[in-house]
Amino acid sequence: QVQLIESGGDSVQAGGSLRLSCVASGYTYSMGWFRQAPGKEREGVAHLYSSSSTQYADAVKGRFTISKDNAKETLYLQMNSLKPEDTAVYYCAARLRYNGVWTDVGNFPYWGQGTQVTVSS
């Protein structure tokens, strides 16, 4: 079993920065950050394999960075140059084996409770 607890969501102005954290207990094969805006489907934002390979959605490339501190068992999402369209509930997710593309939310069986990020213009 994997337990995920996110934190770090807040309200910021456009152009600002936030860092989200996700404490993960237990082994994971890969972890990702997803987000869901009101009225929209949940979408992949960033992904990290245990090998440290990373992937990003086109909308956040160059602005967001995913990383993990293995000693602290914590996944991070550094978000810079935030835009109003980044407003969403952000979730971290984990899986124990490869079972398909990281952008498919159905491939992640473990989810945190979500943390709200609001970016105002």
Side-chain angles (χ1 to χ4, degrees), residues 7-86:
S7 62
D10 205 344
S11 296
V12 298
Q13 297 228 328
S17 297
L18 280 176
R19 188 177 78 161
L20 305 182
S21 300
C22 174
V23 178
S25 64
Y27 165 80
T28 60
Y29 169 75
S30 73
M31 298 184 69
W33 286 100
F34 295 78
R35 66 186 180 187
Q36 188 165 20
K40 294 189 176 182
E41 292 188 353
R42 194 169 298 188
E43 63 177 2
V45 174
H47 180 250
L48 175 70
Y49 283 104
S50 56
S51 64
S52 298
S53 171
T54 59
Q55 293 80 35
Y56 296 92
D58 288 344
V60 306
K61 280 181 182 176
R63 300 189 298 122
F64 291 11
T65 302
I66 188 172
S67 63
K68 189 179 182 191
D69 185 328
N70 289 320
K72 296 183 179 179
E73 297 185 309
T74 302
L75 182 75
Y76 300 103
L77 184 67
Q78 178 66 43
M79 305 186 293
N80 299 328
S81 302
L82 282 162
K83 304 175 181 180
E85 50 263 45
D86 294 320

Side-chain angles (χ1 to χ4, degrees), residues 48 76 81 83 91 100 102 108-109 112 115 119:
L48 175 70
Y76 300 103
S81 302
K83 304 175 181 180
Y91 299 87
W102 72 271
F108 289 80
T115 186
V119 185

